[in-house]
Every structure is written in C-alpha cells, then in structure tokens.
Amino acid sequence: KAYFSMAADKPILYVGDAGSELQLLVKEREVGWFCEGGSPEKLALRIDRICLEFESGHAIPRPRNLMINNFSPECSIHGYCELIDRLFELNFATNW
C-alpha cells in the first residue's frame, strides 16, 4: 500500500513498529512521518505537528519522484545487472 501512495505522490504517515521496513523507508527517504504504535497520545501529537508544518509552509514530502528514480523496474533491472557484473568479475578474478 505504501508504494501505491508514493506513486500517487501522497506522503505516508506510518503508525507501527520502529525498525520495520516501512519505518526505515519513511525515515531514510523522507517520504512522510512515523509514529510508534500503541500510543494514541503520540499519534495525536504527530498529527498536530504535521498540521503545523503545513500551516507554516514547510515542504510537503513528494514521494513520487523518489519512487520513480529509485524503485522503478528500470532501476531494479539496472541494479541486478550491476550485481551480476560484480559477481562475474569476482568469479573471474578468483579463478585466474
């Protein structure tokens, strides 16, 4: 679901476990906000902060371009090709 939101250029408000894949994506790629689950008070505070950011003119996370540039099929294929090239280079170097 997160990738569909990113494709629609919608920032993510992730409520869940710290250290999860989605929490790391939100933190490292700055595509939204995180709040640890189990605390309605913390969630309410996070939503209040998000609203203040919007009102004060802070930049809204725009994840679509990040998704296109990092998670498109072309990027994945390129990454696989680079990995295969490195494996061949390592194998060739160790066999000679």
Side-chain angles (χ1 to χ4, degrees):
K1 291 181 182 179
Y3 291 100
F4 290 115
S5 294
M6 290 172 59
D9 211 20
K10 303 292 183 190
I12 297 168
L13 172 56
Y14 172 61
V15 180
D17 297 326
S20 67
E21 180 181 352
L22 189 50
Q23 187 267 331
L24 294 173
L25 175 73
V26 168
K27 179 182 176 184
E28 293 171 1
R29 303 295 184 144
E30 298 178 353
V31 294
W33 307 271
F34 166 72
C35 182
E36 196 159 357
S39 176
E41 295 83 12
K42 287 182 181 179
L43 178 58
L45 287 172
R46 172 59 73 192
I47 292 171
D48 287 342
R49 281 190 228 129
I50 292 168
C51 291
L52 288 173
E53 287 178 18
F54 284 127
E55 289 174 2
S56 65
H58 279 78
I60 301 167
R62 304 300 301 243
R64 182 171 170 76
N65 285 337
L66 176 105
M67 184 179 166
I68 290 168
N69 294 330
N70 293 280
F71 302 109
S72 68
E74 293 82 10
C75 289
S76 297
I77 291 169
H78 180 74
Y80 285 126
C81 289
E82 284 184 348
L83 176 64
I84 291 168
D85 287 344
R86 283 188 300 209
L87 291 173
F88 275 120
E89 288 172 7
L90 285 173
N91 188 34
F92 184 74
T94 57
N95 286 331
W96 292 99

